[in-house]
Amino acid sequence: MMPKSFLFFVLITLLVSCKNASKDTAPPEVPPSEAALMIENTLQNANGMEGKINIMGYFVVPFYTGELKENGSFQITLPNHFDQVTGRAFEAYNASPIADYELHYSTALESFPDADGLSFKEKGARLAFAGKYYRFEVTGTNTSSYIYPASSENFLRFVVGTKDAAPETGYHYYYIYAKEPFSIHGATTTDNLFEDGTEQIYKRTDSYNLDINKGWNLIRYEVNALSESSKGTEKISKSVVSNLGINTKPEPWFISSK
């Protein structure tokens, strides 16, 4: 079972990404002076896919600021003032006649609800996630895929909740842009049922070590241990959410189809 904080965000991004945003708008470019962070790397499983990279993670017009080349190398520009880019995109969507509900920034507490009882400063801080489902969408001529940094291809599928993904220990990284700083420190331990008919209980501990600055931040989510029932059902028993220096180079990177 993935942590509730991650499940919450996945559900939100699934809701806001399920419709196709308008493709008629020309992809905006990021002037060099507006670049806050450049991400460059090469995919571990390059398969000849190439295309533009969308850094938006919401039900809005895509914002292309990167490119994946056929050899698997890529470059992504995360711009300054991503909050303004996100705000304008939200306003455009909310004013549209096709808007089903109002888009707004997530708060720190909405994004990490399991940490409510911990040392949690500035729970109302607003933040925007880069990419969809912790991944960056690549749009090619006739198809689209995702690229992402994780310990394995299976691990992110497991975190997102893909049915055929097997539980495993590992990690993945993702980027957020915070409009205001916030911090979370501490650990929460809960008793949980395996929900496989055994009526067995396992303990789960989720630890947080986050000091989020205003602007871009790199977050690492790691599963350290799994618990197993007498039927062989595996569940997460230890996880850690922390942030790293923004210039850290996360790797390896993989590509997967939708």
mmCIF file of all heavy atoms in Angstrom, residues 19 92-100:
data_model
loop_
_atom_site.group_PDB
_atom_site.id
_atom_site.type_symbol
_atom_site.label_atom_id
_atom_site.label_comp_id
_atom_site.label_asym_id
_atom_site.label_seq_id
_atom_site.Cartn_x
_atom_site.Cartn_y
_atom_site.Cartn_z
ATOM 1 N N LYS A 19 -8.555 14.521 -18.851
ATOM 2 C CA LYS A 19 -9.013 15.111 -20.106
ATOM 3 C C LYS A 19 -7.813 15.587 -20.908
ATOM 4 O O LYS A 19 -6.771 15.907 -20.360
ATOM 5 C CB LYS A 19 -9.934 16.294 -19.834
ATOM 6 C CG LYS A 19 -11.375 15.905 -19.527
ATOM 7 C CD LYS A 19 -12.240 17.151 -19.556
ATOM 8 C CE LYS A 19 -13.685 16.823 -19.312
ATOM 9 N NZ LYS A 19 -14.531 18.020 -19.353
ATOM 10 N N ALA A 92 -6.646 30.259 -16.731
ATOM 11 C CA ALA A 92 -7.158 29.996 -18.078
ATOM 12 C C ALA A 92 -8.133 28.827 -18.051
ATOM 13 O O ALA A 92 -9.196 28.868 -18.689
ATOM 14 C CB ALA A 92 -6.002 29.711 -19.033
ATOM 15 N N TYR A 93 -7.780 27.787 -17.322
ATOM 16 C CA TYR A 93 -8.678 26.629 -17.240
ATOM 17 C C TYR A 93 -9.972 26.989 -16.510
ATOM 18 O O TYR A 93 -11.064 26.654 -16.957
ATOM 19 C CB TYR A 93 -8.011 25.454 -16.528
ATOM 20 C CG TYR A 93 -8.992 24.329 -16.273
ATOM 21 C CD1 TYR A 93 -9.348 23.460 -17.304
ATOM 22 C CD2 TYR A 93 -9.606 24.182 -15.034
ATOM 23 C CE1 TYR A 93 -10.282 22.467 -17.097
ATOM 24 C CE2 TYR A 93 -10.548 23.192 -14.820
ATOM 25 C CZ TYR A 93 -10.880 22.320 -15.853
ATOM 26 O OH TYR A 93 -11.820 21.352 -15.644
ATOM 27 N N ASN A 94 -9.842 27.665 -15.372
ATOM 28 C CA ASN A 94 -11.023 27.994 -14.573
ATOM 29 C C ASN A 94 -12.001 28.891 -15.322
ATOM 30 O O ASN A 94 -13.208 28.874 -15.052
ATOM 31 C CB ASN A 94 -10.597 28.655 -13.260
ATOM 32 C CG ASN A 94 -9.876 27.693 -12.337
ATOM 33 O OD1 ASN A 94 -10.030 26.478 -12.442
ATOM 34 N ND2 ASN A 94 -9.068 28.229 -11.424
ATOM 35 N N ALA A 95 -11.477 29.698 -16.256
ATOM 36 C CA ALA A 95 -12.336 30.592 -17.039
ATOM 37 C C ALA A 95 -12.938 29.897 -18.254
ATOM 38 O O ALA A 95 -13.793 30.462 -18.942
ATOM 39 C CB ALA A 95 -11.532 31.808 -17.504
ATOM 40 N N SER A 96 -12.514 28.671 -18.499
ATOM 41 C CA SER A 96 -12.975 27.947 -19.679
ATOM 42 C C SER A 96 -14.360 27.353 -19.454
ATOM 43 O O SER A 96 -14.689 26.911 -18.352
ATOM 44 C CB SER A 96 -11.988 26.815 -19.996
ATOM 45 O OG SER A 96 -12.521 25.934 -20.963
ATOM 46 N N PRO A 97 -15.187 27.304 -20.504
ATOM 47 C CA PRO A 97 -16.526 26.709 -20.368
ATOM 48 C C PRO A 97 -16.472 25.202 -20.131
ATOM 49 O O PRO A 97 -17.476 24.607 -19.727
ATOM 50 C CB PRO A 97 -17.199 27.045 -21.704
ATOM 51 C CG PRO A 97 -16.070 27.266 -22.660
ATOM 52 C CD PRO A 97 -14.979 27.893 -21.845
ATOM 53 N N ILE A 98 -15.320 24.559 -20.380
ATOM 54 C CA ILE A 98 -15.215 23.107 -20.164
ATOM 55 C C ILE A 98 -14.744 22.775 -18.751
ATOM 56 O O ILE A 98 -14.628 21.604 -18.396
ATOM 57 C CB ILE A 98 -14.243 22.454 -21.172
ATOM 58 C CG1 ILE A 98 -12.799 22.911 -20.921
ATOM 59 C CG2 ILE A 98 -14.669 22.732 -22.602
ATOM 60 C CD1 ILE A 98 -11.768 22.103 -21.682
ATOM 61 N N ALA A 99 -14.475 23.796 -17.925
ATOM 62 C CA ALA A 99 -13.976 23.545 -16.573
ATOM 63 C C ALA A 99 -15.033 22.817 -15.740
ATOM 64 O O ALA A 99 -16.160 23.289 -15.605
ATOM 65 C CB ALA A 99 -13.591 24.862 -15.906
ATOM 66 N N ASP A 100 -14.665 21.669 -15.189
ATOM 67 C CA ASP A 100 -15.588 20.873 -14.369
ATOM 68 C C ASP A 100 -15.573 21.308 -12.908
ATOM 69 O O ASP A 100 -16.510 21.032 -12.162
ATOM 70 C CB ASP A 100 -15.222 19.391 -14.454
ATOM 71 C CG ASP A 100 -15.436 18.838 -15.863
ATOM 72 O OD1 ASP A 100 -16.386 19.283 -16.525
ATOM 73 O OD2 ASP A 100 -14.646 17.976 -16.289
#
